[in-house]
Amino acid sequence: MDSDEALTIGAGLLRAARRVFVLVGAGMSTESGIPDFRGPRGLWRTNPAAQRVFDIDAYLSEREVRRVAWQMRLSSPIRTARPNAGHLALATLAESGRTVTIATQNIDGLQQMAGSSDVLELHGTFWRSVCLGCGDRRGIEEVFRRLDSGEEDPDCRACGAILRTDTVAFGQELDPDVLSAAWHAAADCDVAMAIGSSLGVHPAAGLCEVAASGGGDLIILNAEPTPYDDIATAVIRRPIGEVLPLLVDRI
Ligand code: NAD
């Protein structure tokens, strides 16, 4: 099946659907200037050492890992990124009268900035800090101001413990309430779309299987093959910012 045919099939499925579940990955935001992890220009290929920053054990035990992590966050493209045509198309889909649940693996907040209100952040958010001791959460800009004034590894103002962005690192559990809400939306959907994800990070990727076992049709929009292509009704391998507006326009 070529991409045009898959696009026609995908649009037909969405048109008929009442409940749509959308799983979003880092590929959705590459056209906003935020690199993914596993794509051809992803962080794992350009800077493999960066993986340590996302490992919770290394982060907890090594001050140098935390220092590097904060420098990476300070210069992250997430801070200045804007939603792209893909985010905007998904926000438009939610206005079409269907029930649309968006579960994002992204931490950048761009889907909400595009106007979507019902977004489940499976992997947390870049825009808040969390204290790993007392759980105190606050806006990230406060930590950035402390870094700008020379601190290298800011500690919690309340209890002195280690701070992180409020995101899920490798080795950490997902918030069970957020995961459960996504699981139910996937199990109940008529159509699931997986957009811009290599579908290699679990448990998020497993939501495709939940949708398919519940009788939902799966549409995959991703530049590269994924482990779930075989169970998808349509696989579209074109740039998301180009193809998602086309798909939404056709319903
Ligand atoms: P991933 O890096 O594993 O996969 C991204 C996929 O998107 C790749 O297969 C790539 O080929 C595809 N892709 C990239 N740009 C595309 C485009 N314009 N059109 C079509 N396809 C495109 O991403 P993942 O599956 O989301 O897993 C990575 C983890 O990294 C997630 O858990 C997420 O929390 C985190 N992450 C988030 C961000 C962000 O918030 N923007 C950025 C990088 C990583």
Side-chain angles (χ1 to χ4, degrees):
M1 186 190 307
D2 67 22
S3 271
D4 281 341
E5 204 182 327
L7 184 63
T8 305
I9 292 172
L13 290 172
L14 279 178
R15 205 176 301 125
R18 302 271 45 100
R19 292 180 308 276
V20 181
F21 171 72
V22 189
L23 176 66
V24 174
M28 176 71 123
S29 294
T30 55
E31 291 169 63
S32 292
I34 305 170
D36 57 19
F37 280 169
R38 296 175 189 77
R41 280 185 291 256
L43 192 60
W44 281 184
R45 290 186 207 192
T46 57
N47 185 4
Q51 292 204 28
R52 277 185 78 63
V53 164
F54 296 89
D55 178 308
I56 192 65
D57 293 330
Y59 192 88
L60 284 172
S61 58
E62 295 174 41
R63 191 171 192 280
E64 178 59 11
V65 169
R66 297 196 292 277
R67 188 190 69 75
V68 171
W70 284 117
Q71 285 308 311
M72 283 174 65
R73 292 165 187 149
L74 206 50
S75 60
S76 169
I78 293 179
R79 296 186 70 190
T80 50
R82 304 292 308 161
N84 63 51
H87 297 107
L88 296 171
L90 209 47
T92 304
L93 176 67
E95 290 162 8
S96 68
R98 294 163 180 79
T99 302
V100 179
T101 305
I102 302 171
T104 186
Q105 299 173 82
N106 295 345
I107 58 168
D108 54 38
L110 289 180
Q111 195 54 55
Q112 294 91 320
M113 216 186 281
S116 299
S117 47
D118 252 344
V119 182
L120 299 167
E121 292 183 307
L122 294 169
H123 294 164
T125 177
F126 174 89
W127 294 104
R128 254 188 338 254
S129 66
V130 62
C131 170
L132 300 180
C134 69
D136 181 62
R137 288 177 162 82
R138 50 186 81 195
I140 197 71
E141 290 303 335
E142 186 178 320
V143 183
F144 286 152
R145 280 194 292 277
R146 292 172 65 187
L147 293 165
D148 283 338
S149 65
E151 288 188 55
E152 292 195 325
D153 176 26
D155 57 6
C156 174
R157 291 266 198 232
C159 76
I162 292 170
L163 294 182
R164 273 192 93 244
T165 46
D166 195 5
T167 51
V168 178
F170 292 118
Q172 279 186 308
E173 299 285 319
L174 273 63
D175 180 322
D177 293 337
V178 176
L179 184 59
S180 160
W183 195 95
H184 284 291
D188 286 345
C189 75
D190 307 313
V191 171
M193 279 200 287
I195 305 177
S197 175
S198 61
L199 299 177
V201 176
H202 285 265
L207 292 167
C208 291
E209 211 153 6
V210 172
S213 331
D217 280 291
L218 177 63
I219 306 170
I220 296 182
L221 259 76
N222 200 58
E224 298 175 295
T226 81
Y228 293 92
D229 290 2
D230 287 350
I231 62 164
T233 311
V235 177
I236 307 172
R237 293 212 184 102
R238 278 165 61 178
I240 294 158
E242 172 194 312
V243 84
L244 198 51
L246 285 178
L247 199 57
V248 173
D249 272 357
R250 286 199 197 177
I251 63 171

